[in-house]
Amino acid sequence: MSRKFFVGGNWKMNGTKSEIDGIVAFLKSGPLDANVEVVVGVPSIYLTYAKSILPNNVSIAGQNTYKVAKGAFTGEISPAMLLDNGIPWVILGHSERRNVFGETDELVAEKVAHALEAGLKVIACIGEKLEEREAGKTEEVVFRQTKAIADKIKSWDNVVVAYEPVWAIGTGKTATPQQAQEVHEKLRDWFSKNINQTVAETVRIIYGGSVTAGNAKDLAKEKDIDGFLVGGASLKPDFVQIVNAKH
Ligand SMILES: O=C(COP(=O)(O)O)NO
């Protein structure tokens, strides 16, 4: 079963309007592989601006939403607010939300469930820390994080899973194609055993963690790597080569 290659850009807390103009310029000139789904994750304050100038072949995501529709949650935004502004995607469970802002597996799962119920599509992030990998706990961690989400949601149709080993994020220490493929394959097997074979075969599992134009092609060759979630490199023209890495 073929899965449409998916490349997300996670701009994190970066950008000014003029820098966004520059990013949009290289996305427009591309050319971007038409067989690849491209979504850029934009800081909340710039979502409307970015959406107004992005080319039609690039979609847009928020970087966080809360677990309920409205209320006394100063500083938060809801899935309904993203949808009200024509934003169809959201990135949830990023390791920076988990490790810097203390989001638990439970909270991430509740956020994913509410975002899907509201009608958003979700890039759901999982990934182990270096000490967990060194302790041989990679599978245990990513299965635990995935199960927490599975226990709360009814369908994986609008979910892209992003495996982002924390030790590879922003470090330049990219997982090797073999390391990434091994975890992606185990995750797909987890879906087969715990959800169903159709989900296992159709859910896109993308890799994130120091993806560059230099390593994307080799990673893209792996059968269970369905794309990327790119941080630093998504702010630069090299992002076009990463989008096109599969073909
Ligand atoms: O956090 C990341 C990856 O960041 P880098 O590509 O900068 O390692 N994606 O969400």
Side-chain angles (χ1 to χ4, degrees), residues 66-133:
Y66 196 44
K67 65 179 184 180
V68 294
K70 60 167 59 175
F73 304 101
T74 303
E76 292 292 337
I77 60 171
S78 70
M81 294 172 177
L82 289 190
L83 290 163
D84 194 29
N85 287 278
I87 310 299
W89 285 92
V90 66
I91 300 169
L92 292 173
H94 192 279
S95 61
E96 289 145 12
R97 297 300 313 173
R98 295 173 188 263
N99 301 325
V100 177
F101 300 99
E103 293 192 7
T104 62
D105 290 349
E106 180 72 8
L107 176 56
V108 169
E110 290 172 337
K111 287 183 168 195
V112 172
H114 179 60
L116 293 171
E117 283 158 16
L120 281 178
K121 293 178 277 190
V122 176
I123 299 170
C125 302
I126 58 174
E128 82 286 3
K129 298 174 186 170
L130 181 60
E131 58 269 26
E132 291 167 332
R133 173 169 281 265

Side-chain angles (χ1 to χ4, degrees), residues 28-44:
K28 277 182 174 171
S29 57
L32 302 179
D33 185 332
N35 297 311
V36 177
E37 186 168 10
V38 184
V39 179
V40 290
V42 176
S44 298

Side-chain angles (χ1 to χ4, degrees), residues 1-5 157 188 196-204 223-224 226 246:
M1 190 169 285
S2 75
R3 297 180 291 269
K4 186 168 188 177
F5 207 66
D157 289 351
R188 210 171 295 284
N196 62 56
Q197 191 56 25
T198 301
V199 169
E201 291 175 2
T202 57
V203 69
R204 272 130 3 132
K223 69 180 176 68
D224 289 301
D226 303 317
K246 183 78 175 170

Side-chain angles (χ1 to χ4, degrees), residues 5-241:
F5 207 66
F6 182 102
V7 178
N10 179 2
W11 298 356
K12 303 190 181 184
M13 191 176 75
N14 293 297
T16 61
K17 282 188 173 179
S18 59
E19 287 168 356
I20 291 170
D21 292 344
I23 294 169
V24 169
F26 68 66
L27 290 173
K28 277 182 174 171
S29 57
L32 302 179
D33 185 332
N35 297 311
V36 177
E37 186 168 10
V38 184
V39 179
V40 290
V42 176
S44 298
I45 191 76
Y46 290 122
L47 280 166
T48 303
Y49 179 71
K51 178 174 166 48
S52 72
I53 58 174
L54 276 168
N56 292 334
N57 58 342
V58 176
S59 190
I60 188 169
Q63 294 181 9
N64 188 34
T65 51
Y66 196 44
K67 65 179 184 180
V68 294
K70 60 167 59 175
F73 304 101
T74 303
E76 292 292 337
I77 60 171
S78 70
M81 294 172 177
L82 289 190
L83 290 163
D84 194 29
N85 287 278
I87 310 299
W89 285 92
V90 66
I91 300 169
L92 292 173
H94 192 279
S95 61
E96 289 145 12
R97 297 300 313 173
R98 295 173 188 263
N99 301 325
V100 177
F101 300 99
E103 293 192 7
T104 62
D105 290 349
E106 180 72 8
L107 176 56
V108 169
E110 290 172 337
K111 287 183 168 195
V112 172
H114 179 60
L116 293 171
E117 283 158 16
L120 281 178
K121 293 178 277 190
V122 176
I123 299 170
C125 302
I126 58 174
E128 82 286 3
K129 298 174 186 170
L130 181 60
E131 58 269 26
E132 291 167 332
R133 173 169 281 265
E134 288 172 343
K137 293 185 176 176
T138 296
E139 276 176 60
E140 175 189 322
V141 170
V142 298
F143 290 171
R144 187 201 74 223
Q145 293 171 327
T146 306
K147 182 182 186 301
I149 294 169
D151 287 349
K152 296 258 191 244
I153 71 173
K154 299 181 178 69
S155 166
W156 289 86
D157 289 351
N158 289 320
V159 180
V160 170
V161 176
Y163 166 60
E164 298 200 301
V166 180
W167 47 271
I169 295 175
T171 61
K173 296 186 189 114
T174 319
T176 66
Q178 294 70 29
Q179 284 177 319
Q181 168 58 26
E182 182 184 359
V183 177
H184 284 228
E185 190 168 14
K186 287 189 172 15
L187 279 166
R188 210 171 295 284
D189 186 54
W190 185 92
F191 278 107
S192 175
K193 291 191 174 85
N194 295 277
I195 309 295
N196 62 56
Q197 191 56 25
T198 301
V199 169
E201 291 175 2
T202 57
V203 69
R204 272 130 3 132
I205 306 174
I206 65 177
Y207 167 78
S210 296
V211 174
T212 65
N215 58 40
K217 278 193 177 301
D218 284 342
L219 284 160
K221 287 172 187 161
E222 297 298 326
K223 69 180 176 68
D224 289 301
I225 297 179
D226 303 317
F228 305 115
L229 186 53
V230 184
S234 69
L235 303 169
K236 303 168 193 159
D238 270 7
F239 184 63
V240 172
Q241 291 180 63

